[in-house]
Amino acid sequence: MSLTGDITGIVEYEGSLWVATSLGGALRLDMPGQGVTMMTGQQYMGRQGLSNDAFGFYPDSRGNLYCITDMGIKKYDHASDRFIPFSPGRTSNTSLQQPSLKTRTVTCGSAPSTAGSTGRTGRAVR
């Protein structure tokens, strides 16, 4: 397992850390138990159904994990431990939804407010 390119996304999913990279596909890093000093995991690239350019991960409300790549959206298949092509039209039971993100607007000299836009003087914080 090796980390190649830039890290483009990180998500925790089912007790593992999933890391998307710009040149090395994706890495699944299993969280070590107490007293364990080495992380184990798996790298996913072409042979595992994933392109080398992974941009990020999106878990849905049904427990599925999707990876956005330069070759389209790939869905993680637990049974085969691989990524498979995802097409919303082919699978009626699956809905890909972006996780809910809360944003806050922070303006210098004032208290934070909850808002969806940054306004003129603040920037959105996620």
Side-chain angles (χ1 to χ4, degrees), residues 24-44:
L27 301 170
R28 184 195 74 231
L29 302 171
D30 302 323
M31 302 303 277
Q34 188 170 353
V36 177
T37 58
M38 182 180 278
M39 291 183 89
T40 59
Q42 168 76 30
Q43 187 165 15
Y44 298 85

Side-chain angles (χ1 to χ4, degrees), residues 36-65:
V36 177
T37 58
M38 182 180 278
M39 291 183 89
T40 59
Q42 168 76 30
Q43 187 165 15
Y44 298 85
M45 295 174 73
R47 289 186 177 158
Q48 294 80 27
L50 200 61
S51 124
N52 291 357
D53 292 321
F55 304 122
F57 293 100
Y58 293 94
D60 72 6
S61 60
R62 298 177 189 209
N64 297 305
L65 180 67

Side-chain angles (χ1 to χ4, degrees), residues 22-106:
S22 62
L23 296 174
L27 301 170
R28 184 195 74 231
L29 302 171
D30 302 323
M31 302 303 277
Q34 188 170 353
V36 177
T37 58
M38 182 180 278
M39 291 183 89
T40 59
Q42 168 76 30
Q43 187 165 15
Y44 298 85
M45 295 174 73
R47 289 186 177 158
Q48 294 80 27
L50 200 61
S51 124
N52 291 357
D53 292 321
F55 304 122
F57 293 100
Y58 293 94
D60 72 6
S61 60
R62 298 177 189 209
N64 297 305
L65 180 67
Y66 301 89
C67 185
I68 311 306
T69 75
D70 63 331
M71 302 296 287
I73 301 172
K74 306 289 182 154
K75 179 181 173 187
Y76 179 66
D77 179 45
H78 293 272
S80 65
D81 193 28
R82 297 174 46 84
F83 282 86
I84 57 174
F86 173 75
S87 174
R90 284 192 337 215
T91 311
S92 61
N93 290 349
T94 307
S95 63
L96 178 61
Q97 299 173 351
Q98 184 171 352
S100 166
L101 298 176
K102 235 180 156 177
T103 60
R104 291 186 306 160
T105 301
V106 179

